[in-house]
Each structure stands twice: as C-alpha cells, then as structure tokens.
C-alpha cells in the first residue's frame, strides 16, 4: 500500500519509475557521502538499489532506507551501493592537453628540481584512479623521460573506493578501447597483445601501487595509506559525483597532502572557478593547474593533527627551556612569541638539537614529534637521522621505532623497514599498525600469502581495540576504520593471487 502510494507520488512529480524511497536514498547519499547524482544518473541509482536489495535480502528500497535513517545499515552495504553508482570511465592518456603539459613541462620541471636538490624521489598520487589507466599513463611518461629510472625512488599510488576497479588496475589488462589515445610506438613498447586484450609490461606495473581510500570519509595526509608529501596529485573527473561543500572539504584535505611546490591537477571540467585555499592557480598551454607555496609550521602541524591548536600568523615557535609543572615534574615547554614573522621548518631541527641534550622519555617524545614534522614537510632523511638519535637514547621506544619504520618504508628501504616492524611486533605483539606494515611490505616483496596473514592479524587486533581509539601517527583514523580498510585490502590481495 505504502509502496503504491510512493510510486503514485513519484509519477505525479514526473520522475518515471523512481520511488519516493529511492529518491530519499539519493538524498541520504548526498547528505552523508557528498555524492550528488545528476538527473540522468537516477536510473543508475535505481539499478544499484535493486542490486543491493537482492544481495542483502531487503524486501524493497523503503526497508533499505529505514535501515539508513535508523543508522543500522552496515558499512559493507553502503560501500557496495557507492561502488555501484560511481562509474569508473577512464582510459590511457585521457585529456591530451593535460597529458602534454605533464609530459612537456610539469614532469620535466619536477625531475630537474629533484636532480638539483640531489633527491631522486618522486611521489605521485592518482586520487580516484579507477582501473589505473591514469596512473600507468604517468608511469609510462616517467619511464620515457628518466634515463636512469632505476636509480630513482618512485612512489606512484592510485586510490579508489571501487574494489573491482582496483583489482583491474592490479591485473594490468586492458581493452583496445582503453588504449585508443595511446600512440602505436608507446603501445608496442609497453603492452603485449593477448587475444582481445592488452597486457601492460611488468616493468610499468611494478612502478605503481593501488589501494582503497574513500576521499570523502577517510583521513589524509596519511602515512598508513602512503598519501603524504606528494609532488603531483591527479584528481581528475572524480568531483562529478560530489556536492560543492564536499568538493571543498576534499580539496582542503588534498592540499594538505602536497609537498612544498607540489602540483594538483583536476579534471578540465572539475574546476568551478573558486580559489582553492592554500593553492595558487596557474595556467599553461590552456591547461589550468594548482601549486602549493612555501610550507609554514602551521601547515605541517595541521597536516599531522588537524585538531591541534594553530599558532597564529606572524609568530615564532621557539623552545625556551624546562620548567616544573603543577605536580613538580620537569616539563619541556615551547612558547609562541611574536618576534619573527616567518615560521620555518628549521625550527624542528633546532627543537631536536635541544631535546637531544636531555636523555629523558619526554625528550624522546619531543624528538619523535619534531621528526614527524620534518617528515611531513618532506625532509625524510633528516627525520630518519633524528629518529636514529632518539633510538640511541632508548632503542626500545615503540613510538620512535614505529615512526622510524614508517620512514624507512617511505624511502623504499624495505628490508630495513621489515626488521624494524618485526622488532616492534616482538616488543608489542598486539600492535595492529606494525602487523599492517609487515603486510604491506610483504606484498611489496611479492609474498602475498604472508601479506594476507599479516593483514588478517591486523584486522583481528584492530577489532580488539576500543573502536574509536586512534591509530598511531594517523590524525583521525580509528581502529574500526583501519579494520575496514584492511578488510578491503585483503579482498583486493586475495583476488590477484
Ligand atoms: C570517472 S573515474 C575517473 C578516473 C580517472 N581519474 C580519470 O580521470 O580517468 C572516477 C573515479 O572516482 C572514484 N570515486 C568516486 N567517489 C570516490 C570517493 N569518494 N573516493 C574515492 N574514489 C571515488 C570512482 O570509483 C571512479 O573510479
């Protein structure tokens, strides 16, 4: 009866077969996930709702909607629904003008700057990577541009919410249609034909990593997702699903992931003309892109912990020494003064020098925090050096070992990182984060079975923690979200055995 009424209402307001419950689900998705579906996408939504109802035994869309408003719908249901309505249309070398700008200007300049800084590291993120075509296009351009590529530490990471698409990316198998903009020389150099499909060479596939990340719900910059200190972010043709406030939120988080002078490229039709806070809009060869300026200590603190109180502009963060706190214990204090206008990162170096003199637990914590600031600002070598100094004070310190392991993993020093995380598991066997890294690193080493075992341990241990407790060094990730993310990773890894 209710359903008949809904359908009548839907017809009366001119929306064909869409029921009131389906419309309400569309609104719920918009309000809670920021995904605003256009009118022509209603049919996709209706189809997706039907699929979900069949799979999860909901009698109809109204029952599904009631679970949503009662807050009892599972994450699994919602993520599958989102998967269904977000379409992953993509292809190699999509948008020839943008690709030409990357090949002829942005990537050569980035490579040259890194060479001048004697830092042969490149970190590139395809956010909303779909089946990987975009990220692999960048990998091919880099392979063509860099003669001594084996001497570089190249970190290319693609993330998406659609697990099926990530699995396709990891398989590296594409249709002729996906290669329609690839020129013949490149196609024959980097793909081998097998029947109707084209297999990407292992050389290019090995350059890229793919993982699950929901741009709206998840928190980044993030060490654990390897989304930090990024030189170039491509987030193209993803915002079509998002409402404007959601786009602003996502852009704000994306900006925090860029390193100093890092570049963001959106899809040609994703930009609606507003300024993006913290980024300068630039145009070259008819293509618009955005660049981050010099990082201040505020930027770095906000990236590490967005909830931490900000230092006000035109102030300097300086260490002024020790004092006794209310309980009569020694406390290291830092003070905000108005002396200098510009806050610069070398403050972190100074903090470390001061704290090194004091062989106490507090001083280790302070060094770890300062090292984290250095790492967030892209000074990974300096951060590693200061972690080593803190470990000389206490080689068993878990937080310091953990950050040290994360930094070694970031530098692709896999063997060294594995031994640090093994040491942590020995010292703190129930630490989910350490098992997670052992999983990621085992996968990197090609040992998928071991990777899955560590990932399963991570899920079990994360579920034993208070669900709202925070993951170490992740500003806003809870253990329950970590468990969900790792369950997705297990699905992805299991499929590509
Ligand atoms: C049209 S494809 C774009 C692929 C590629 N960037 C390109 O331009 O060719 C959009 C991708 O964004 C992904 N996506 C949609 N919403 C997302 C979200 N909240 N978090 C992460 N990815 C999302 C979809 O799954 C889809 O793969």
């Amino acid at each position: 009866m209710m359903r008949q009424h809904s359908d009548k209402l839907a017809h009366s307001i001119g929306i064909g077969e869409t029921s009131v419950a389906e419309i309400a689900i569309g609104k719920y998705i918009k309000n809670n996930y920021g995904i605003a579906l256009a009118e022509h996408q209603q049919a996709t939504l209706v189809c997706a709702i039907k699929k979900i109802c069949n799979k999860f035994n909901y009698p109809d869309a109204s029952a599904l909607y009631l679970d949503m408003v009662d807050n009892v719908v599972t994450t699994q249901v919602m993520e599958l629904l989102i998967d269904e309505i977000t379409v992953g249309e993509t292809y190699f070398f999509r948008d020839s003008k943008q690709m030409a700008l990357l090949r002829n200007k942005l990537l050569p300049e980035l490579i040259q700057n890194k060479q001048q800084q004697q830092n042969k590291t490149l970190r590139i993120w395809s956010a909303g990577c779909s089946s990987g075509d975009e990220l692999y296009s960048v990998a091919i351009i880099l392979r063509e541009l860099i003669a001594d590529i084996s001497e570089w530490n190249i970190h290319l990471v693609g993330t998406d919410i659609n697990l099926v698409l990530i699995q396709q990316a990891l398989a590296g198998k594409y249709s002729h249609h996906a290669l329609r903009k690839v020129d013949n020389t490149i196609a024959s150099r980097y793909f081998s034909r097998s029947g109707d499909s084209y297999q990407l060479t292992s050389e290019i596939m090995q350059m890229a990593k793919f993982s699950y990340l929901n741009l709206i719900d998840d928190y980044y910059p993030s060490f654990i997702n390897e989304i930090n200190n990024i030189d170039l972010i491509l987030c193209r043709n993803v915002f079509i699903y998002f409402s404007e406030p959601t786009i602003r939120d996502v852009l704000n988080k994306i900006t925090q992931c860029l390193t100093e002078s890092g570049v963001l490229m959106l899809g040609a039709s994703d930009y609606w003309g507003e300024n993006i806070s913290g980024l300068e809009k630039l145009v070259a060869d008819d293509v618009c892109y955005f660049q981050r300026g010099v990082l201040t200590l505020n930027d770095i603190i906000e990236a590490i912990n967005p909830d931490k109180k900000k230092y006000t502009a035109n102030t300097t963060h300086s260490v002024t020494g020790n004092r006794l706190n209310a309980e009569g214990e020694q406390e290291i204090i830092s003070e905000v003064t108005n002396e200098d206008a510009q806050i610069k990162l070398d403050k972190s170096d100074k903090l470390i020098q001061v704290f090194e003199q004091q062989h106490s637990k507090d001083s280790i914590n302070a060094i770890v925090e300062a090292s984290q600031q250095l790492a967030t600002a892209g000074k990974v070598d300096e951060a590693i050096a200061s972690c080593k100094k803190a470990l000389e004070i206490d080689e068993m310190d878990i937080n310091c070992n953990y950050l040290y392991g994360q930094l070694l993993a970031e530098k692709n020093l896999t063997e060294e990182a594995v031994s640090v995380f093994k040491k942590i598991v020995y010292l703190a066997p129930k630490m989910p984060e350490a098992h997670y890294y052992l999983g990621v690193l085992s996968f990197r080493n090609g040992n998928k079975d071991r990777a899955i075992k560590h990932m399963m341990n991570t899920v079990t241990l994360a579920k034993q923690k208070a669900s709202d407790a925070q993951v170490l060094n992740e500003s806003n990730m809870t253990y329950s979200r970590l468990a969900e993310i790792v369950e997705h990773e297990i699905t992805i890894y299991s499929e590509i055995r």
Side-chain angles (χ1 to χ4, degrees), residues 89-90 94 128 130 134 160-161 165 213-215 236-237:
E89 162 66 1
T90 187
R94 180 181 196 172
S130 184
E134 175 179 86
D160 206 283
I161 41 166
L165 293 173
L213 180 104
N214 183 339
L215 285 168
R236 304 187 310 154
N237 310 303

Side-chain angles (χ1 to χ4, degrees), residues 35 82 86-91 94 126-130 134 159-162 165 213-216 235-238 240-242:
I35 297 176
I82 304 295
T86 51
V87 192
E89 162 66 1
T90 187
Y91 48 88
R94 180 181 196 172
S126 163
C129 64
S130 184
E134 175 179 86
T159 60
D160 206 283
I161 41 166
N162 191 320
L165 293 173
L213 180 104
N214 183 339
L215 285 168
I216 298 170
C235 185
R236 304 187 310 154
N237 310 303
V238 180
I240 35 174
Y241 311 108
F242 300 175

